[in-house]
Amino acid sequence: MKEELDYLRPRLMEIFTYLHANPEISWHEIETTNYIVELLKQEGFSPIRFKNSTGLYVDVGTGNPKVGLRTDIDALWQEVDGHFRANHSCGHDGHMTMAIGTLLLLKELQQSINGTIRVIFQPAEEKGTGALSVLEEGVIDDLDYLFGVHVRPVHELEDGTYCAALYHGASRLLEGEIIGEDAHAARPHLGINAIEVGATIIEDLRTIHTDPMVPVSVKMTKFHAGGDSGNIIPGNASFTIDIRAQQNKVMDDLAQGVKRVIDSSKLLHKVQIELRTVANIVAAEVDTSAQYLMEQAIIQAAGLSNLRKPVHTPGGEDFHHYAVQRPHLKTTMLGLGCGLTPGLHHPKMKFKQARLVTGVEILTRAVLLALESGHKKEASA
């Protein structure tokens, strides 16, 4: 496998260079999809575009067991050098390169695939809804295993080390509207001050208590009320509440607490408050057998000395919707230590591209081990 990887290395760097230079934001990954489709067709694969969105998937082999590998394909929209543009500051260009590389390596190995390996190129991970869209396509339902990968910053994994599971936290974004009553600043008793309502919500959010052993965060991150005139008490306001928890059960408890706070503020101020969920990312539900297979793949590719414990991170990742929505599915994510600095989502984020080659080997070994494991279970059944 090492020899085949050395042969593929220049091609992988060429693919990464193109993807890095041509980022596209969530749900608009049109040219990215076209590029991957054409590349894979030229390599003899038969990629299938999703019916209802950008993105695609491709199968290698046929029959059972069925093992999946998922990559995300979208970029962030952020300010870079004073200008807003699409930017691959979360490493999805690297993730795509590794997924494509896995397909190319399987082809180079000329190994007969006894079963199916499905590689999924998912849109809109940054919106937290791309995985839900792929679930609607039905391409996950018949899989036994599903693996993912994410580059990690140096404070989580040092360069050249790897972990077999990423325990992302759950995150939920709520947007609200306070509908009160404007009044003259000299006559506050005639109105309902949306700013005072917002202040009550902010204070009461601090009274929500959950299991102290589980990291959580709940806070208002945006509030807008009033216009240019300072002598008008604003009756209306918009706000955003960000909720995070390391476990899904605790996230549910937090969400119920926020609802109680909002309901209490409505009664106290006699005001209408509309609240809606605009993003909902679940916490990781890692399967122990999938994690074990990924550990073995890391050891085979990089050695036991470079295997690290699973990483627990407060960041979110919509990959985990797959395990929560399809409980039969065995999932885990590879954490790739690649000297990533200064951090994910930083406009100048960078990492060592050479580590992508090792990532290809680990992922290839993981999907092959999963097929082997599936056959052993069938034989013993």
Side-chain angles (χ1 to χ4, degrees), residues 108-247:
E108 285 297 320
L109 291 173
Q110 297 183 339
Q111 182 171 343
S112 176
I113 305 298
N114 189 9
T116 303
I117 296 173
R118 177 169 297 161
V119 181
I120 299 162
F121 296 84
Q122 178 210 299
E125 187 279 327
E126 296 296 350
K127 294 295 185 183
T129 51
L132 298 175
S133 174
V134 172
L135 282 163
E136 292 178 0
E137 297 279 344
V139 301
I140 299 296
D141 298 348
D142 58 349
L143 297 181
D144 303 299
Y145 287 90
L146 181 64
F147 298 105
V149 59
H150 209 300
V151 293
R152 305 315 301 165
V154 291
H155 64 272
E156 289 187 359
L157 284 175
E158 65 268 33
D159 181 37
T161 64
Y162 313 90
C163 73
L166 294 174
Y167 283 85
H168 290 94
S171 63
R172 196 169 297 184
L173 202 63
L174 309 177
E175 289 183 352
E177 301 287 339
I178 299 170
I179 305 171
E181 189 74 28
D182 284 9
H184 194 290
R187 301 175 182 86
H189 62 292
L190 298 178
I192 300 177
N193 191 337
I195 296 176
E196 292 176 350
V197 178
T200 298
I201 295 172
I202 291 170
E203 287 300 314
D204 288 352
L205 288 176
R206 299 175 184 174
T207 68
I208 301 174
H209 300 294
T210 57
D211 184 348
M213 300 303 292
V214 180
V216 300
S217 170
V218 54
K219 67 277 185 186
M220 189 175 289
T221 54
K222 185 172 69 174
F223 189 89
H224 182 267
D228 294 336
S229 299
N231 61 349
I232 298 175
I233 295 173
N236 299 332
S238 61
F239 63 89
T240 301
I241 295 175
D242 180 274
I243 316 174
R244 295 178 185 266
Q246 207 61 39
Q247 296 178 6

Side-chain angles (χ1 to χ4, degrees), residues 64-70 116-120 139-148 286-294 319 322-323 326-332 366-378:
N64 295 317
K66 294 183 178 180
V67 176
L69 170 62
R70 169 271 200 184
T116 303
I117 296 173
R118 177 169 297 161
V119 181
I120 299 162
V139 301
I140 299 296
D141 298 348
D142 58 349
L143 297 181
D144 303 299
Y145 287 90
L146 181 64
F147 298 105
V286 176
D287 178 80
T288 54
S289 61
Q291 180 178 330
Y292 173 77
L293 294 175
M294 186 63 76
F319 174 85
Y322 294 118
R326 301 292 186 271
H328 76 278
L329 192 61
K330 302 176 180 66
T331 70
T332 193
V367 295
L368 292 174
L369 286 170
L371 285 181
E372 182 183 336
S373 174
H375 284 297
K376 288 181 179 177
K377 289 179 181 178
E378 289 177 357

Side-chain angles (χ1 to χ4, degrees), residues 41-58:
K41 283 183 177 179
Q42 291 173 13
E43 293 292 339
F45 297 101
S46 300
I48 300 173
R49 297 173 185 265
F50 291 136
K51 301 182 186 72
N52 302 310
S53 73
T54 47
L56 64 134
Y57 73 96
V58 60

